[in-house]
Every structure is written in C-alpha cells, then in structure tokens.
Amino acid sequence: MSYLRSPKEDEEIFREEIEKKPHEKKILFFGLTQTGKTSIIKTVFEGRSPEGTESLAATVRFERMKYDFGDHSIYSFDIGGQTSYLEEAIGFLKQHIFSDVYALIFVVDIANVGDYTLSRQYLLKIVRNAFQLNDDPLIYLFAHKMDLITEDYRDEALTVFSRYFDLEKLESVKLFTTSIYDESAIKAIEEILEK
Ligand SMILES: Nc1nc2c(ncn2[C@@H]2O[C@H](COP(=O)(O)OP(=O)(O)OP(=O)(O)O)[C@@H](O)[C@H]2O)c(=O)[nH]1
Ligand SMILES: [Mg+2]
C-alpha cells in the first residue's frame, strides 16, 4: 500500500481545508528540491535549530501548517520541490494553491549554480500563476544558503545571481539574501509579514 496521498486525496483535503480564516496570512513556499524551504519554515516558525534541519526528508507533494508568529496567524504551504510536485501545483492544484495568497516566497540555493536555469523556468511559471489568481501578489525571491558563499565572494555571487535571474525585468519580485544559520531568514519573513 502506498503511503503517499493520491492527487484525488489531496483535492479532498483541500476542499475540507478551504476554511482558511480571513485573518490568516497564506504564504506559499516554492523552489526546487533541497533549496531549504522546509528548513526555513521549521527554523523561523517552529524555532528548530539550523542543525536540526540537516536530516529533513524531502517534502512529498506539499505540507500545510498553521502557525502563530508574533501577532500574525500564518497558513503556510510548503510545496515539495521535485518537478513532478511543482507540475501538480501549477497544474490541477493551481486554483487551490494560488488563490488568496498573502505572499509567495521562491527559494533558490545560491551556491547551486547548476540549478539556476531550471529554477528560473519555474520562478517565471509560478509568478505567472500567482498573478493570474491574485490582484497584486507579494512575491519574494530568496537567494538562500548565503552562508555557503565565502564572505569575499558574496557581492560577486549576488551580482551573478541577479543577472541570471534578470531581476531588473522582474519588477514585482523582491530579493532577499537569506540563511538559516544567521538572523537573515527570520528577518526577511518578519519584513514580509509587515507589508
Ligand atoms: N548551509 C545551509 N544549508 C541549509 C540552509 N537551509 C537549508 N539547508 C539545508 O538544505 C538541505 C535541504 O533542506 P530542505 O529544507 O529539506 O529543502 P526543501 O527545499 O524543503 O526540499 P524539498 O522538500 O525536497 O523541496 C538540508 O540539509 C538543510 O539543512 C542554509 O541556509 N544554509
Ligand atoms: Mg521540504
């Protein structure tokens, strides 16, 4: 017997959970696998130590969680980054996932240059979906795992990153540099929640 939820079961769960309270801020976490989405959620919202994320299993399909974070009620959607899950999210689950979004955070592992091309392809698709189903969505790009870049090279790495993702043309997307090994991830989320 499979322990995975089927697409049909996912749809059922969604239908039951449509009762998102109006004051809850729905935050979508997107990005390729291993970029650090679940780690950000666990360290920022659950107070887990950064080291405590090292053996996290890959997210299967998606995970939804509710958190109280300061004065904010959060409804987080952690979408597994394997491309089959991303395709589902922008395919038959699109309406459910992209409706009533407070903010969308797209996470890229800045140290993994080999994944930039695929990341960018999905970023563009996901931004398009967010705009189709929301009036003026807040969209953020996290250049994540900044701690893996040696300090002397950080400015240069960021220039390469911004050029590659063509951020000048993506006016709606705001960039944060983040890591779970310092305060940057939590500060970015706090800033996003104050918008
Ligand atoms: N060095 C470093 N490692 C990180 C950081 N954030 C996450 N990681 C590590 O990256 C690995 C993958 O993290 P996950 O949070 O499971 O990645 P994910 O994006 O949720 O992956 P999927 O669930 O497959 O989509 C883990 O070993 C984390 O410890 C970071 O800021 N710096
Ligand atoms: Mg995950």
Side-chain angles (χ1 to χ4, degrees):
M1 197 182 91
S2 171
Y3 60 88
L4 300 182
R5 295 190 301 262
S6 69
K8 185 115 196 69
E9 284 168 320
D10 276 342
E11 263 196 292
E12 291 294 318
I13 294 170
F14 263 127
R15 230 170 266 131
E16 283 163 22
E17 291 236 355
I18 293 297
E19 30 66 60
K20 177 183 96 55
K21 315 272 185 317
H23 69 284
E24 286 171 348
K25 292 180 167 170
K26 179 176 172 183
I27 305 184
L28 304 183
F29 288 85
F30 269 107
L32 297 185
T33 186
Q34 287 285 304
T35 50
K37 301 174 294 296
T38 307
S39 303
I40 294 170
I41 292 168
K42 298 281 178 201
T43 52
V44 173
F45 297 134
E46 296 184 16
R48 187 180 292 202
S49 70
E51 295 75 18
T53 66
E54 283 166 11
S55 51
L56 276 174
T59 304
V60 174
R61 300 205 121 101
F62 57 82
E63 293 293 333
R64 285 153 310 153
M65 296 293 288
K66 294 191 180 194
Y67 298 106
D68 289 322
F69 182 70
D71 295 336
H72 307 278
S73 297
I74 311 291
Y75 188 74
S76 91
F77 268 71
D78 179 8
I79 289 103
Q82 291 170 47
T83 52
S84 55
Y85 304 142
L86 292 173
E87 290 298 331
E88 283 183 1
I90 58 179
F92 78 99
L93 291 172
K94 168 178 163 168
Q95 190 77 29
H96 302 296
I97 291 199
F98 287 94
S99 62
D100 198 14
V101 168
Y102 173 77
L104 185 159
I105 297 173
F106 192 95
V107 182
V108 177
D109 175 350
I110 190 168
N112 188 353
V113 180
D115 271 356
Y116 281 11
T117 305
L118 191 59
S119 266
R120 183 162 190 278
Q121 284 171 17
Y122 276 104
L123 172 67
L124 296 180
K125 285 187 195 180
I126 284 159
V127 167
R128 215 176 300 133
N129 277 282
F131 270 97
Q132 276 170 10
L133 289 163
N134 297 274
D135 286 339
D136 200 6
L138 298 171
I139 302 180
Y140 302 91
L141 181 59
F142 280 14
H144 189 56
K145 304 196 186 180
M146 211 55 197
D147 58 284
L148 294 179
I149 310 286
T150 51
E151 252 176 72
D152 288 352
Y153 184 62
R154 280 184 194 164
D155 286 347
E156 200 178 327
L158 203 57
T159 306
V160 171
F161 182 91
S162 303
R163 202 178 300 138
Y164 202 93
F165 281 85
D166 211 1
L167 291 182
E168 278 184 19
K169 286 210 192 111
L170 286 174
E171 279 171 20
S172 54
V173 178
K174 182 171 165 33
L175 176 69
F176 282 100
T177 55
T178 54
S179 166
I180 56 168
Y181 285 93
D182 58 28
E183 295 286 291
S184 54
I186 198 161
K187 286 213 165 110
I189 302 238
E190 281 171 351
E191 192 177 325
I192 289 167
L193 289 170
E194 292 308 326
K195 288 283 166 199

